[in-house]
Amino acid sequence: MDYSYIFRSAKIKPDHLKSIGFTSCDNKNFTLQTPVSNGDFNALINLSLENQTLTVQVFDSATNEKYVLFDMPSAYGAFVSSVREEVQKIIDDIKAQCFEENDLKDSYIEWLKSHFSVQPDFPWPRTPDFCVFRCPNQKWFALVMKIKYSQLGLIGNEKVWVVNIKSNCDEIPSLIDHKSIFPSWHMNKKHWITILLTAVTDFEQLCTLTKKSYEIISA
């Protein structure tokens, strides 16, 4: 199962990996094996700094056969769910100990307020995870919201703060990297982009692109 979404929300601290049991031959690819389900299974965790991937395979401790139901999204049941929950806790612990989270949302909103002399507008009172920032003409130039990684075409249902801003349509293809900048979610993909408000995003570039959005909307 793929847990690489972690790299979209936080920066890894490689020097912390070995302290929690990861081993490596080249300091680029790391592995960790840990028991799950009271030792009846083993979780093999593979982490690549080079490819920024984090995957998990689960094997039967007695037979060393792969527990294929773990990787099948369509597989349901109390036991497979308990194994997934246990593995998720392991992944969450790895994230807490070996990754540095930096939520840019608050810093970004403060920058918006200061630079453009604007205040967030909540057009949907029942949805506090969505707010817009308007130009003097009352048109949006930034929409800050919390959505699932899967809504950006990434693996994982964990939620993340993002912003939708407008860009020149001829520049959008070169901006999108599917790492921090994506085709816009829920808006016209020819004119808008979605940017993660996480540690992987270059804050200076985010501000520059937002200024451009303001200029386009204000024109």
Side-chain angles (χ1 to χ4, degrees), residues 30-122:
F30 294 79
T31 60
L32 172 67
Q33 185 167 298
T34 184
V36 295
S37 189
N38 296 317
D40 290 336
F41 292 87
N42 286 315
L44 179 62
I45 303 168
N46 292 292
L47 185 151
S48 171
L49 298 181
E50 190 172 16
N51 299 321
Q52 292 198 329
T53 57
L54 179 62
T55 60
V56 180
Q57 294 175 298
V58 175
F59 297 88
D60 188 299
S61 298
T63 65
N64 205 33
E65 292 182 355
K66 187 176 179 181
Y67 181 44
V68 294
L69 292 181
F70 175 75
D71 295 310
M72 297 174 58
S74 59
Y76 292 98
F79 183 73
V80 68
S81 295
S82 68
V83 172
R84 288 176 182 152
E85 288 176 6
E86 191 171 347
V87 170
Q88 184 64 58
K89 289 178 181 178
I90 294 170
I91 296 300
D92 291 342
D93 188 53
I94 292 172
K95 183 177 181 181
Q97 296 190 55
C98 301
F99 286 78
E100 179 182 357
E101 293 190 80
N102 183 16
D103 189 341
L104 298 181
K105 191 261 295 185
D106 291 339
S107 298
Y108 179 61
I109 287 180
E110 288 306 311
W111 177 82
L112 288 170
K113 292 177 180 179
S114 173
H115 189 83
F116 298 106
S117 298
V118 294
Q119 292 295 321
D121 179 19
F122 297 87

Side-chain angles (χ1 to χ4, degrees), residues 104 108 111 165 171 174-177 180-181 193 195-196 200-213:
L104 298 181
Y108 179 61
W111 177 82
I165 58 175
E171 296 178 357
S174 62
L175 290 172
I176 292 172
D177 58 12
S180 63
I181 304 177
I193 55 178
I195 303 179
L196 295 180
V200 300
T201 296
D202 184 311
F203 193 77
E204 185 176 345
Q205 182 188 30
L206 171 64
C207 294
T208 298
L209 292 173
T210 303
K211 292 175 186 176
K212 188 66 176 180
S213 178

